[in-house]
Amino acid sequence: MQDRTDALIEPLGRIAMDRLGVAAGERVLDVGCGCGQTLLQLAELAGPSGHVLGVDISPPMLARARERVAGQPTIALALGDAQAYAFAPGAFDALYSRFGVMFFDDPREAFRNLRAAVRSGGRLSFVCWQDLAKNPWAARPLEAVMRLLPASAMPDMLREGRPGPFFMSDRARVRAILGDAGWKDVSLEPVEVPLHFGAAATLDDAVDYSLQIGPAARAMTDAPEALKPELEVALREALAPFASARGVFMDSAAFVVRARA
């Protein structure tokens, strides 16, 4: 699902990347680099004299990234948890992440470790989701399937205060985490962009995507087979109002978070 997911979140990732302002020759750390799209974009900005290191905890995603960046001498990859990875102190001018920093078990320790990897005066820019309720691309499918599922099916990662996609949606929490970890001049810029849901050209495409990826898909993980046709109908009804001749577009709300080391 890499191509479709890249298409979904690329517009928001670009905004955070623009705010970072990578200059030629800079050293950039990409946290949660996933399947590698952002590595290629950052390397283009840093140019032939720059360097980009991508770190991710997922072996399959990093393997895909390795395929995509083959032949790019300015890009390196590391498999590991950025919360504890032994980065060289002060090795980077800038830190970037596209929806990769909301899942740490100990976010303060993670951002403290990342702070140590960035030189004094270096920059941070990442994009994270605002509240689930402000993101119908996630909320509408989830609401639809939860009407048919027991409350216990709600994914733990969506519960308040748990690491997960919406963990960084609280402004005060973000400021406290980054401040405690040694970052300064923290700012949160609200960004709202209509997303091409799963790069879906048709309603069928959107339903197929929602069955495989996202909060609704996670909630349906243990659903009995007999219930799955009803769940698919529920998803279709939830997504139908967003379908048009242009494809399936749904509103999103994110924060672009910036800070200095």
Side-chain angles (χ1 to χ4, degrees):
M1 306 297 285
Q2 163 238 312
D3 288 341
R4 297 173 70 178
T5 302
D6 278 345
L8 175 71
I9 59 178
E10 198 271 346
L12 290 164
R14 275 289 189 185
I15 295 171
M17 198 174 293
D18 289 345
R19 300 296 187 269
L20 188 60
V22 176
E26 287 197 310
R27 303 157 298 165
V28 186
L29 175 60
D30 186 352
V31 178
C33 64
C35 294
Q37 183 186 50
T38 53
L39 292 172
L40 294 167
Q41 294 169 340
L42 290 166
E44 183 177 359
L45 294 171
S49 61
H51 176 74
V52 180
L53 173 65
V55 60
D56 204 284
I57 202 168
S58 167
M61 295 180 85
L62 209 64
R64 177 67 183 125
R66 189 168 287 109
E67 293 174 358
R68 296 177 78 182
V69 306
Q72 300 277 341
T74 63
I75 300 175
L77 299 172
L79 175 64
D81 182 353
Q83 178 174 311
Y85 193 86
F87 300 106
F92 300 97
D93 301 295
L95 185 156
Y96 172 82
S97 183
R98 185 180 76 178
F99 301 111
V101 296
M102 302 94 75
F103 306 95
F104 295 122
D105 291 330
D106 185 340
R108 283 174 172 77
E109 181 58 32
F111 278 100
R112 193 173 291 116
N113 189 46
L114 294 170
R115 163 63 189 88
V118 178
R119 66 169 176 79
S120 180
R123 296 109 55 213
L124 168 154
S125 179
F126 67 79
V127 60
C128 60
W129 299 115
Q130 292 188 42
D131 291 342
L132 173 63
K134 294 182 179 180
N135 284 281
W137 65 269
R140 293 293 184 87
L142 179 65
E143 290 165 2
V145 301
M146 285 306 298
R147 294 190 190 104
L148 299 170
L149 296 170
S152 59
M154 179 65 74
D156 283 345
M157 67 177 186
L158 298 181
R159 300 184 191 278
E160 176 61 29
R162 300 285 184 90
F166 303 98
F167 177 73
M168 305 290 276
S169 62
D170 184 286
R171 292 172 183 261
R173 176 184 292 152
V174 173
R175 292 183 184 279
I177 289 171
L178 292 179
D180 290 349
W183 296 89
K184 60 185 180 180
D185 301 330
V186 179
S187 67
L188 290 87
E189 175 188 355
V191 177
E192 297 183 4
V193 176
L195 298 182
H196 191 183
F197 184 72
T202 67
L203 180 57
D204 286 345
D205 291 337
V207 172
D208 176 67
Y209 187 79
S210 200
L211 285 167
Q212 299 184 67
I213 284 186
R218 183 63 66 93
M220 293 186 289
T221 299
D222 297 320
E225 285 296 322
L227 189 57
K228 290 187 177 177
E230 289 183 62
L231 291 167
E232 184 170 342
V233 169
L235 283 173
R236 183 175 299 277
E237 291 175 350
L239 295 170
F242 303 95
S244 70
R246 295 172 52 240
V248 179
F249 285 83
M250 304 181 76
D251 289 341
S252 72
F255 286 126
V256 172
V257 180
R258 300 169 64 193
R260 287 193 173 273

